[in-house]
Amino acid sequence: SRAGDYFSQAAAQGDLVATAVLGFMHYRGEGRKADFETAQILIQRAAERGEANGMLTYGVMYLEGKALTRNPLQAFKWFLLADQHSGGSSTITSRVKGYLEHASEYLGDSEEAEARRLAAAFVVKAP
């Protein structure tokens, strides 16, 4: 697809938003067959470098357990980080709220506290 070509080129040039979007397209099979391995690589790259949409999608991947082993604690951590790195985006913040509530249904208090500790200790990787 033309969109896929655009995002592929931008991601190859280091654009983290494009990297996250391209990863999401691979994850959901938009304009292409779903490719969880490629999705995981791209989304992890964007998330670890502080891109909020990548962090949100990485959390979704952990919560859904499709491309990654299901892990609600890791999902909760990435949702917290997406909120912290959203730059005040109401779109991300509103989506994060629902995902945090959903992920917390699977966590006890100590697990939620651990997710918060992991999020607080997170350091963005250099590009």
Side-chain angles (χ1 to χ4, degrees), residues 53-104:
N53 285 298
M55 292 172 156
L56 179 63
T57 304
Y58 207 38
V60 170
M61 292 170 74
Y62 272 116
L63 191 59
E64 292 180 349
K66 289 182 182 173
L68 299 168
T69 301
R70 191 167 186 282
N71 186 329
L73 188 148
Q74 284 293 321
F76 196 90
K77 175 188 95 171
W78 286 105
F79 296 146
L80 290 172
L81 289 166
D83 192 39
Q84 292 168 13
H85 289 83
S86 70
S89 165
S90 59
T91 304
I92 292 175
T93 301
S94 64
R95 290 174 61 208
V96 163
K97 186 175 188 257
Y99 281 121
L100 280 170
E101 289 174 7
H102 185 66
S104 70

Side-chain angles (χ1 to χ4, degrees), residues 22-36 38-39:
L22 186 62
F24 184 81
M25 291 173 75
H26 280 282
Y27 185 63
R28 295 290 189 216
E30 293 181 10
R32 65 193 71 242
K33 182 175 170 247
D35 177 352
F36 292 149
T38 300

Side-chain angles (χ1 to χ4, degrees), residues 1-7:
S1 74
R2 287 183 58 179
D5 292 343
Y6 168 79
F7 288 115

Side-chain angles (χ1 to χ4, degrees), residues 21 37 77 80 109 111 117-118 125:
V21 171
E37 184 177 341
K77 175 188 95 171
L80 290 172
D109 290 343
E111 292 169 312
R117 187 193 67 71
L118 291 170
K125 282 190 176 180

